[in-house]
Amino acid sequence: MPSYPKPQVKQYHPPVKATWWLARPAYIKFMVRELTSLFIAGYAAFLVVLMAKADDVAAFQSIMDALKTPVSILLHLIVLGFALFHSITFFNLTPRVLVVQRGEDRLADAAIAGAHYAMWLVATLVILFVATR
Amino acid sequence: MAGNTGETTTLEVFRYHPEQDSEPRYQTYQVPYQKEWVVLDALNYIKNEIDGSLTFRWSCRMGVCGSCGMMVNGTPRLTCAAFLKDFHPQTIRVEPLAHFPVIRDLVINFDDFINKLTEAKAWLIPKEEKSIEQGEYLQTPAQLAAFKQYSMCINCMLCYAACPVYALEPAFTGPAAIALAQRYNMDSRDGAREERMNYISSDEGVWECTLVGECSVVCPKHVDPAGAIQRAKLETAQEWWQSMLMPWARK
């Protein structure tokens, strides 16, 4: 096949602004979703510290007392909000990734997302049962 | 003119003529407001009646050819499907598709996308070549349903204009090329899945995607390229684990 030289034309390359993620509401939602990982990681680190102090009765009790302060409860509510936002958006995406084809039809999105929510509920109940035993 | 109300609507159009302009500029045009008109009709009115130097691509006027994609008020749209009545009396800002170099006015350079389609081998490579005498490559409706959604892609590149990952990392294979690679990977008649997967599972392939998801939102054909990319991630991850845990088992 003959190859032809490409015409050299001056082109305009639009710059990508640092504020690109403010351009569309969906981009902001995406960035918030990425941000949730910081809160989840932070809370995981807190749980590790808590477990490490489990044998030290005095230190454990002082953490427990600190957890009952209004500031701590507010922080927990913020982390809970981010965790729920992350989990719900994650589960809602599962039908896009797990496509189960039955003949010519796909298994309904609600069935796939619903199965994930059901597993979430079961896991939560098991953890609550073990924790409050 | 049918539907002419005597009103006008304002278009603010991105202009860039490389011979004269070092930077793009915006030019404002008044066009008759007709509720059955789309943005492409307004652009053609400008071209025919006001300013013949305005340059843009278009062809079919019915959402099939995929050549009239532009940014309409900041959102990637097929201008043949963006009705003036959905914006009127607001000013409509028309710009070339984002994240591509601009050649002139609303015309972008999409060489990069074409190269990626070629790399992704976005065409059918039959498992076995058949002569005409041997007949057609048959397929059941269920086999067709497995990939049909991805075959609806019209290469309009709206998904690339919606993808911030492509803007930040131009080497990213991108939504449509991956969705089309998956379209052929999932085709029961095809035999080149491994070659395509090597390309789309590379560093610049599916793993660049952070699932912003806007590619699927703007897709005029409901292809869901974001879904296609996540499915490819799942497949490549499964195959990697399988090769690690069961190296003796062939894919």
Side-chain angles (χ1 to χ4, degrees), chain B residues 181-236:
Chain B
Q182 285 288 70
R183 176 252 173 273
Y184 292 102
N185 285 342
M186 291 173 180
D187 192 317
S188 58
R189 302 163 296 180
D190 186 86
R193 182 175 181 280
E194 201 160 332
E195 290 167 54
R196 291 193 201 94
M197 286 313 258
N198 284 341
Y199 175 65
I200 66 169
S201 64
S202 66
D203 286 350
E204 287 79 33
V206 291
W207 300 105
E208 280 284 349
C209 169
T210 51
L211 188 44
V212 179
E214 280 296 275
C215 53
S216 295
V217 173
V218 302
C219 178
K221 293 291 167 183
H222 311 294
V223 169
D224 191 12
I229 296 172
Q230 309 325 305
R231 288 176 75 182
K233 281 183 188 172
L234 190 66
E235 286 168 31
T236 52

Side-chain angles (χ1 to χ4, degrees), chain A residues 6 9-14 16-17 20 24 26-27 30 33-34 93 96-99 101 103-106, chain B residues 16 18 21 24 74-75 100-102 109 111 141-142 145-146 149 162 164 167 210 214 216 224 226 230-231:
Chain A
K6 290 230 174 244
V9 188
K10 192 178 89 175
Q11 298 177 13
Y12 172 68
H13 293 264
V16 182
K17 289 186 203 142
W20 65 265
R24 295 170 68 80
Y27 293 169
F30 163 75
R33 190 158 190 284
E34 296 285 287
L93 284 168
R96 311 263 297 277
V97 184
L98 295 170
V99 175
Q101 212 185 323
E104 286 176 54
D105 300 313
R106 282 178 170 195
Chain B
Y16 173 69
D21 302 329
T75 300
F100 288 95
V102 180
N109 178 346
D111 285 353
Q149 182 182 17
T210 51
E214 280 296 275
S216 295
D224 191 12
Q230 309 325 305
R231 288 176 75 182

Side-chain angles (χ1 to χ4, degrees), chain B:
Chain B
M1 268 185 262
N4 192 350
T5 56
E7 284 180 89
T8 60
T9 206
T10 309
L11 266 74
E12 199 175 55
V13 183
F14 180 104
R15 303 298 311 268
Y16 173 69
H17 280 198
E19 314 84 50
Q20 302 137 28
D21 302 329
S22 56
E23 285 293 311
R25 58 200 162 84
Y26 287 86
Q27 195 162 347
T28 303
Y29 300 98
Q30 298 286 335
V31 300
Y33 169 65
Q34 299 194 51
K35 65 179 178 5
E36 70 273 25
W37 269 16
V38 290
V39 172
L40 181 61
D41 291 321
L43 292 175
N44 272 320
Y45 179 88
I46 296 169
K47 177 107 180 149
N48 295 336
E49 307 290 337
I50 307 173
D51 183 351
S53 71
L54 181 66
T55 310
F56 50 96
R57 285 195 183 99
W58 65 283
S59 180
C60 78
R61 298 182 299 127
M62 51 192 214
V64 177
C65 75
S67 33
C68 70
M70 297 170 208
M71 305 302 283
V72 180
N73 283 355
T75 300
R77 300 280 304 265
L78 292 182
T79 49
C80 68
F83 280 87
L84 296 187
K85 66 177 160 54
D86 295 334
F87 304 94
H88 189 75
Q90 247 194 314
T91 296
I92 305 172
R93 179 176 264 229
V94 187
E95 296 163 301
L97 274 185
H99 312 154
F100 288 95
V102 180
I103 298 173
R104 190 180 189 84
D105 293 342
L106 301 165
V107 177
I108 54 153
N109 178 346
F110 55 77
D111 285 353
D112 184 52
F113 173 60
I114 298 296
N115 292 338
K116 282 168 179 165
L117 274 185
T118 314
E119 294 271 358
K121 297 191 195 299
W123 58 87
L124 192 82
I125 302 173
K127 275 191 197 119
E128 45 188 326
E129 286 292 341
K130 284 165 84 173
S131 64
I132 290 173
E133 292 73 38
Q134 286 171 290
E136 309 90 333
Y137 295 94
L138 295 175
Q139 197 160 53
T140 66
Q143 285 169 330
L144 172 67
F147 67 83
K148 191 174 178 206
Q149 182 182 17
Y150 303 142
S151 75
M152 305 309 281
C153 176
I154 55 172
N155 300 354
C156 66
M157 297 168 283
L158 300 196
C159 52
Y160 284 77
C163 176
V165 177
Y166 181 61
L168 296 163
E169 183 44 80
F172 174 42
T173 310
I178 295 174
L180 282 167
Q182 285 288 70
R183 176 252 173 273
Y184 292 102
N185 285 342
M186 291 173 180
D187 192 317
S188 58
R189 302 163 296 180
D190 186 86
R193 182 175 181 280
E194 201 160 332
E195 290 167 54
R196 291 193 201 94
M197 286 313 258
N198 284 341
Y199 175 65
I200 66 169
S201 64
S202 66
D203 286 350
E204 287 79 33
V206 291
W207 300 105
E208 280 284 349
C209 169
T210 51
L211 188 44
V212 179
E214 280 296 275
C215 53
S216 295
V217 173
V218 302
C219 178
K221 293 291 167 183
H222 311 294
V223 169
D224 191 12
I229 296 172
Q230 309 325 305
R231 288 176 75 182
K233 281 183 188 172
L234 190 66
E235 286 168 31
T236 52
Q238 277 172 343
E239 282 163 21
W240 184 84
W241 278 105
Q242 192 183 329
S243 71
M244 286 291 127
L245 299 173
M246 298 189 292
W248 59 89
R250 283 286 295 146
K251 286 184 253 183

